[in-house]
Amino acid sequence: MKGFIVYISSEVKDNKQFVYTFGRLENSETFLAINHFRPYFYIKTTDRKKAENIEKVEFEDTDYKNFQDEPMTRITLDLSKDVPLVRDLFVDAGIICYEADIRYVNRFLIDKDLKGSIDIQGDYERPAEGTIDRMYVEPTLKQAPDYFPKLKVLSIDIETDKHAGDLYAIGLYTPTFQKVLIKKKGKFTNAEAIPDEERLLERFQELVLEIDPDILTGWNFIDFDLKYLQERFKKNKIEFRLGRINRPCKLRISDSFFKDSSADIPGRM
């Protein structure tokens, strides 16, 4: 079954780390592929004995060489969080480390030669929770050139007072669905009136999960809309969950001109 990667992350269970690959299949269903993958980096083989006296990790000599044509030894660990710790120990001892700065999920994609389009081979189950149609455990993932699906895009826009205090409305738009949730009593032709903010936020959450978009977008979306919504969800004691699995969204808001803010919404870009 061909698919397209929308989002990729990792989870740790029982001291093992797994890559979680989310996306959309060619039959329009959503998928989650779970693969166990151990992080690693390299040192020169001539430094192996010195490194073995510093930290007890898995060492394996390889056929790879650096640009100076020196043989390389692979250092394999169980968790990606341990990579910088072990790397720093080696560096402090004068051992040069190679590829220790590659992000865990990127290392997985590089090793599997995966880009956007993939072919998934393996059995699947249909999860009882979340909005995932198919969950594959330890499938075989291969590159599928020249395939691109029709992804679902949801545009969101909120309206507040000029001080970003009171919430007035939330608008949701896709080519096949348009709705405005407005915090007001009464009946409207093109809007759903909900006088209570808590219920309005819950209704917004329901609609996002129901529409099940691959991509969330908007104007100044992360730094204003998502940041504001996260604060209002917290104030109303509602879990800020808009993703495809039962895990809250996380934001990294940056004040730097040179660094963008980011949003981690599981299963969606």
Side-chain angles (χ1 to χ4, degrees), residues 77-104:
L77 303 119
D78 291 318
L79 304 177
S80 60
K81 69 179 182 63
D82 294 332
V83 171
L85 302 178
V86 176
R87 175 201 62 199
D88 290 348
L89 288 175
F90 288 172
V91 170
D92 289 344
I95 298 173
I96 299 174
C97 298
Y98 300 80
E99 300 188 357
D101 58 341
I102 297 178
R103 289 183 61 231
Y104 172 74

Side-chain angles (χ1 to χ4, degrees), residues 85-129:
L85 302 178
V86 176
R87 175 201 62 199
D88 290 348
L89 288 175
F90 288 172
V91 170
D92 289 344
I95 298 173
I96 299 174
C97 298
Y98 300 80
E99 300 188 357
D101 58 341
I102 297 178
R103 289 183 61 231
Y104 172 74
V105 294
N106 290 349
R107 176 85 268 177
F108 175 81
L109 293 174
I110 292 169
D111 283 14
K112 300 294 183 182
D113 194 26
L114 302 178
K115 298 179 176 65
S117 301
I118 62 173
D119 185 73
I120 307 176
Q121 299 175 9
D123 297 329
Y124 66 87
E125 57 187 78
R126 297 195 178 274
E129 297 181 355

Side-chain angles (χ1 to χ4, degrees), residues 176-195:
T176 58
F177 179 91
Q178 300 90 40
K179 178 162 285 191
V180 175
L181 306 178
I182 184 169
K183 196 177 76 172
K184 195 174 182 68
K185 292 182 180 180
K187 292 185 178 180
F188 301 89
T189 303
N190 298 312
E192 184 175 331
I194 305 173

Side-chain angles (χ1 to χ4, degrees), residues 75-253:
I75 310 299
T76 304
L77 303 119
D78 291 318
L79 304 177
S80 60
K81 69 179 182 63
D82 294 332
V83 171
L85 302 178
V86 176
R87 175 201 62 199
D88 290 348
L89 288 175
F90 288 172
V91 170
D92 289 344
I95 298 173
I96 299 174
C97 298
Y98 300 80
E99 300 188 357
D101 58 341
I102 297 178
R103 289 183 61 231
Y104 172 74
V105 294
N106 290 349
R107 176 85 268 177
F108 175 81
L109 293 174
I110 292 169
D111 283 14
K112 300 294 183 182
D113 194 26
L114 302 178
K115 298 179 176 65
S117 301
I118 62 173
D119 185 73
I120 307 176
Q121 299 175 9
D123 297 329
Y124 66 87
E125 57 187 78
R126 297 195 178 274
E129 297 181 355
T131 61
I132 300 295
D133 295 314
R134 296 188 179 194
M135 183 174 72
Y136 296 83
V137 179
E138 298 299 341
T140 299
L141 304 180
K142 296 181 179 180
Q143 190 180 148
D146 304 323
Y147 169 71
F148 193 89
K150 185 176 182 181
L151 300 177
K152 286 186 179 181
V153 180
L154 172 62
S155 180
I156 296 171
D157 184 40
I158 67 172
E159 298 298 336
T160 72
D161 65 25
K162 63 180 180 180
H163 303 294
D166 290 339
L167 174 64
Y168 291 157
I170 305 177
L172 301 96
Y173 177 90
T174 76
T176 58
F177 179 91
Q178 300 90 40
K179 178 162 285 191
V180 175
L181 306 178
I182 184 169
K183 196 177 76 172
K184 195 174 182 68
K185 292 182 180 180
K187 292 185 178 180
F188 301 89
T189 303
N190 298 312
E192 184 175 331
I194 305 173
D196 178 72
E197 180 177 279
E198 180 181 1
R199 177 55 193 147
L200 187 147
L201 293 172
E202 289 175 338
R203 178 62 175 149
F204 165 72
Q205 185 181 58
E206 290 170 3
L207 287 174
V208 172
L209 298 180
E210 182 181 311
I211 297 167
D212 194 21
D214 300 297
I215 300 168
L216 294 172
T217 189
W219 178 259
N220 197 22
F221 184 51
I222 297 175
D223 288 279
F224 182 71
D225 297 66
L226 282 180
K227 181 175 180 289
Y228 178 88
L229 287 170
Q230 184 184 55
E231 293 168 353
R232 305 312 280 192
F233 268 69
K234 182 178 180 180
K235 179 183 177 182
N236 287 276
K237 298 180 180 179
I238 305 170
E239 185 179 42
F240 190 45
R241 186 174 71 85
L242 302 174
R244 284 184 162 143
I245 57 176
N246 190 19
R247 197 175 74 189
C249 309
K250 296 179 181 178
L251 305 181
R252 293 183 180 87
I253 304 300

Side-chain angles (χ1 to χ4, degrees), residues 248-263:
C249 309
K250 296 179 181 178
L251 305 181
R252 293 183 180 87
I253 304 300
S254 175
D255 295 325
S256 171
F257 178 80
F258 299 100
K259 187 175 182 182
D260 292 331
S261 297
S262 63

Side-chain angles (χ1 to χ4, degrees), residues 41-49 52 58-65 71-76:
F41 63 95
Y42 296 93
I43 62 172
K44 290 186 289 188
T45 300
T46 53
D47 287 328
R48 174 170 177 166
K49 288 186 178 180
E52 286 176 333
E58 185 176 310
F59 295 84
E60 180 185 0
D61 294 339
T62 73
D63 294 329
Y64 294 117
K65 295 182 179 180
M72 294 283 101
T73 293
R74 181 186 302 201
I75 310 299
T76 304

